[in-house]
Amino acid sequence: MKSLAELLERAKSSKTKNLVVVGSEDEEAVKAAMLAVEKGVVGKVFLVGSKKTWTDYDAEFIETNNEQQSAEEGVKIVSSGRADILLKGLVKTSVLLKAVLNKDWGLRGSGLLSHIAAVEVPGLDRVVFITDGGMVIRPTLEEKVAIIKNAVDLMHRLGYQKPRVALICAIETVNKDMPETIDASVIAKMAQRGELKGCFVDGPLGLDNALSLEAAQVKNVKSEVAGQADLLVVPDIHSGNFLGKSAVYFAQGRIAGLIVGAKAPVVVVSRADSAESKLLSIAMAACVG
Amino acid sequence: MKSLAELLERAKSSKTKNLVVVGSEDEEAVKAAMLAVEKGVVGKVFLVGSKKTWTDYDAEFIETNNEQQSAEEGVKIVSSGRADILLKGLVKTSVLLKAVLNKDWGLRGSGLLSHIAAVEVPGLDRVVFITDGGMVIRPTLEEKVAIIKNAVDLMHRLGYQKPRVALICAIETVNKDMPETIDASVIAKMAQRGELKGCFVDGPLGLDNALSLEAAQVKNVKSEVAGQADLLVVPDIHSGNFLGKSAVYFAQGRIAGLIVGAKAPVVVVSRADSAESKLLSIAMAACVG
């Protein structure tokens, strides 16, 4: 992808997806959902919540008594096939995700839930994905593998044939005092042995030699990923979070984000996100939901 | 500071500083040093190394037999008062810093050596400093305090009266599973009790509400730092490293960097750094050396 606007085009041209706002007391989330309808990004909207604080939206309202019930009802609308995407409204993320993972009526997938962001910045000629800067705090090696699988699966759905996956660290060499460089080496080798399908994987790489062919050449780092990364796998939540936010607050770029790994995508937007960013996140969900 | 160009102006107008290239076999480092002379950023240059690979530079050459000797001779030129700044050439950083920390003839300061970067990006109306994305891998609480003191001392020398220091984390609330949010809270309280002088300190803050007043208002985060941070204190080397590199590779901005905490600044540039970035780093050293 060259730009995040492609998410909007792709969402409009693919099969219409319906969306559930879980906790429709959050006017901002409702507005984001209705903007997605207006832009042709989603079809029908379900609003699940305790009060009908809005009046003039063309959406189905499901009344509930508390946030647990909102989460359960919202998830059931998706698991029953009436909708495809969850959008977090006024409900704690933990409550929503507990419902998503319910064994009886939830949307539990095969593996771990993880967060993936997509950024568009002036310094890059392509969209770059970042995982996980929003969900798993300090992933183990096994969790990193699951996080990569989630992201690669999403990227395949977005049309990437073999995404280029960079495990980024402060340096591109192995340092025993930086365990993330050890994990990166191990995962790169696992991929080389065929344990991670449908992608190119390399690491450890620095952010510079992951993204810029020139920087990779200067440091003599050569691989199918170096300088051409589509996906940046970060060691922990805070480093990924800083990187995603730097796309907005340093680079004046754009960001979209999703929680993946369940049977349906979950969109968690923040009040500080722009309306455009919320729309792009819903569009990304509509592309893969 | 509004822009990193102010470093060049400030270096030119302050007392002339001399620079030592340690390991002058590195032609790139020598070029950077001579450009700094040409631009009026430094005065005299000493080139310490095993071979005189260059011929046409107006600099004093000190011949050595190996990198240990280069490091020792280079450091002694500064500790004897003949020069003010060290620039790493073809010598391992560890060898150079060991010489800097030598108890007999080194430049050991009161505390820890740490790295500080300054970035200029389109998303911000001011220069923002980042520490430590280049030296201390995973600082303890005590080391974070020392890192902040080093950075605040540097910023005072650059003309900041009370820099606004944000301890950034993935979130702006305390989460017991994110030890960096605990450290941030503790250090913010220490500052409030007067243990960190000459600065405003707050944390945990998200990158968004540290940098943007609008984001801070949306999340109702209020302090003398929120939305106005001059210095971002990161939890570990990789998160700071990503943030610094994002200023260049995401935002097409500019970066300068230094190792501080010794009696003289140490400039460590990377081959992947632009000539401009190297010059700005030397200028920052000349301002504070």
Side-chain angles (χ1 to χ4, degrees):
Chain A
M1 286 204 297
K2 295 284 173 202
S3 117
L4 290 180
E6 290 177 39
L7 292 172
L8 300 175
E9 293 313 310
R10 187 175 274 267
K12 280 184 222 172
S13 63
S14 62
K15 186 172 160 287
T16 303
K17 304 290 164 54
N18 297 334
L19 178 144
V20 184
V21 179
V22 181
S24 61
E25 301 87 348
D26 180 351
E27 182 80 19
E28 288 294 314
V30 175
K31 272 187 196 161
M34 300 320 297
L35 181 64
V37 173
E38 192 187 313
K39 296 286 183 186
V41 163
V42 297
K44 185 173 176 179
V45 167
F46 296 85
L47 299 174
V48 184
S50 60
K51 271 187 302 191
K52 195 166 174 171
T53 51
W54 36 269
T55 50
D56 54 348
Y57 294 130
D58 180 21
E60 186 174 335
F61 178 56
I62 292 97
E63 194 172 358
T64 60
N65 295 315
N66 54 52
E67 63 174 1
Q68 278 77 10
Q69 206 189 339
S70 293
E72 177 169 345
E73 291 303 322
V75 166
K76 282 179 173 171
I77 292 169
V78 177
S79 58
S80 66
R82 286 176 289 159
D84 311 278
I85 304 163
L86 290 163
L87 174 64
K88 183 184 107 85
L90 193 69
V91 50
K92 281 190 208 79
T93 307
S94 58
V95 170
L96 175 56
L97 296 181
K98 198 179 161 191
V100 166
L101 293 175
N102 183 282
K103 282 180 187 169
D104 299 322
W105 43 260
L107 295 161
R108 183 180 274 266
S110 57
L112 189 74
L113 293 185
S114 57
H115 186 270
I116 178 159
V119 302
E120 178 190 323
V121 290
L124 295 171
D125 60 358
R126 62 193 185 277
V127 168
V128 165
F129 293 76
I130 301 167
T131 193
D132 176 339
M135 186 78 210
V136 186
I137 295 176
R138 213 174 304 97
T140 61
L141 188 127
E142 290 77 9
E143 287 170 334
K144 284 178 189 171
V145 171
I147 285 169
I148 294 172
K149 285 181 178 169
N150 280 352
V152 168
D153 178 54
L154 174 129
M155 291 172 78
H156 285 163
R157 287 165 194 245
L158 290 175
Y160 287 82
Q161 301 225 325
K162 284 194 92 172
R164 298 171 195 272
V165 182
L167 292 134
I168 57 168
C169 299
I171 50 172
E172 58 280 354
T173 49
V174 175
N175 179 331
K176 67 170 177 48
D177 296 323
M178 296 181 177
E180 58 275 15
T181 65
I182 311 280
D183 277 9
S185 312
V186 172
I187 294 171
K189 179 51 78 178
M190 288 170 68
Q192 204 191 21
R193 290 283 186 268
E195 290 178 64
L196 282 160
K197 309 281 187 209
C199 54
F200 298 108
V201 179
D202 195 19
L205 289 169
L207 185 68
D208 51 344
N209 46 66
L211 292 177
S212 153
L213 275 173
E214 199 186 329
Q217 278 159 6
V218 167
K219 290 202 178 158
N220 205 26
V221 180
K222 288 175 195 160
S223 72
E224 272 147 329
V225 178
Q228 304 178 76
D230 299 307
L231 172 64
L232 304 171
V233 181
V234 295
D236 44 40
I237 197 169
H238 62 263
S239 59
N241 183 280
F242 297 167
L243 206 45
K245 285 177 177 160
S246 80
V248 176
Y249 295 93
F250 277 11
Q252 293 183 315
R254 305 199 289 176
I255 187 164
L258 272 190
I259 294 173
V260 290
K263 284 179 188 151
V266 182
V267 182
V268 177
V269 295
S270 154
R271 275 169 299 157
D273 293 341
S274 66
E276 185 186 44
S277 170
K278 290 172 188 167
L279 180 65
L280 290 169
S281 298
I282 295 171
M284 185 150 84
C287 292
V288 303
Chain B
M1 284 205 296
K2 295 284 175 204
S3 119
L4 291 180
E6 290 176 39
L7 292 173
L8 300 176
E9 293 314 310
R10 185 175 276 266
K12 280 183 223 174
S13 63
S14 61
K15 188 174 159 287
T16 303
K17 304 291 163 57
N18 296 334
L19 178 145
V20 183
V21 179
V22 181
S24 62
E25 301 87 346
D26 180 351
E27 182 79 20
E28 288 295 313
V30 175
K31 272 187 197 162
M34 299 321 296
L35 181 64
V37 173
E38 192 187 314
K39 297 288 184 184
V41 164
V42 296
K44 185 174 176 180
V45 167
F46 296 85
L47 300 173
V48 183
S50 60
K51 271 187 302 192
K52 195 167 174 169
T53 52
W54 36 268
T55 51
D56 54 348
Y57 294 130
D58 180 21
E60 185 174 335
F61 177 59
I62 292 97
E63 193 171 357
T64 61
N65 295 315
N66 53 54
E67 63 174 0
Q68 279 78 12
Q69 205 188 341
S70 292
E72 177 169 345
E73 291 302 322
V75 166
K76 283 180 172 172
I77 293 169
V78 177
S79 58
S80 67
R82 284 175 290 158
D84 312 276
I85 304 163
L86 289 163
L87 174 64
K88 182 186 107 84
L90 192 69
V91 52
K92 282 191 208 78
T93 306
S94 57
V95 170
L96 175 55
L97 295 182
K98 198 178 162 195
V100 167
L101 292 175
N102 183 284
K103 282 180 187 169
D104 299 322
W105 43 261
L107 295 160
R108 184 181 273 267
S110 57
L112 189 74
L113 293 185
S114 57
H115 186 270
I116 179 160
V119 300
E120 178 190 324
V121 290
L124 295 171
D125 60 356
R126 61 193 186 277
V127 168
V128 165
F129 292 76
I130 301 168
T131 194
D132 175 341
M135 187 79 210
V136 186
I137 295 178
R138 212 174 305 97
T140 61
L141 188 126
E142 290 78 7
E143 286 170 335
K144 284 178 188 169
V145 170
I147 285 169
I148 293 171
K149 285 181 178 169
N150 279 352
V152 168
D153 178 55
L154 174 128
M155 292 173 78
H156 285 164
R157 287 166 194 243
L158 290 175
Y160 288 81
Q161 300 225 326
K162 283 194 94 173
R164 297 171 196 272
V165 181
L167 292 135
I168 57 168
C169 300
I171 50 172
E172 59 280 353
T173 48
V174 175
N175 178 330
K176 67 172 175 46
D177 295 323
M178 296 181 175
E180 58 275 14
T181 65
I182 311 279
D183 276 10
S185 311
V186 172
I187 294 170
K189 179 52 77 178
M190 287 169 68
Q192 203 190 22
R193 289 284 185 268
E195 291 179 63
L196 281 158
K197 308 280 186 211
C199 54
F200 298 107
V201 179
D202 195 19
L205 288 169
L207 185 67
D208 50 345
N209 46 64
L211 293 177
S212 153
L213 274 173
E214 200 186 329
Q217 278 159 5
V218 167
K219 290 201 178 158
N220 206 25
V221 180
K222 287 173 194 160
S223 72
E224 272 146 330
V225 178
Q228 304 178 75
D230 299 308
L231 171 65
L232 304 171
V233 181
V234 296
D236 44 40
I237 197 170
H238 61 264
S239 59
N241 183 280
F242 297 167
L243 205 45
K245 285 177 177 161
S246 80
V248 176
Y249 294 93
F250 277 10
Q252 295 184 311
R254 306 199 291 176
I255 187 165
L258 272 190
I259 294 173
V260 290
K263 283 180 190 151
V266 182
V267 182
V268 177
V269 294
S270 153
R271 276 168 300 158
D273 293 340
S274 67
E276 184 185 45
S277 169
K278 290 171 187 168
L279 180 65
L280 290 169
S281 297
I282 295 171
M284 186 151 82
C287 292
V288 303

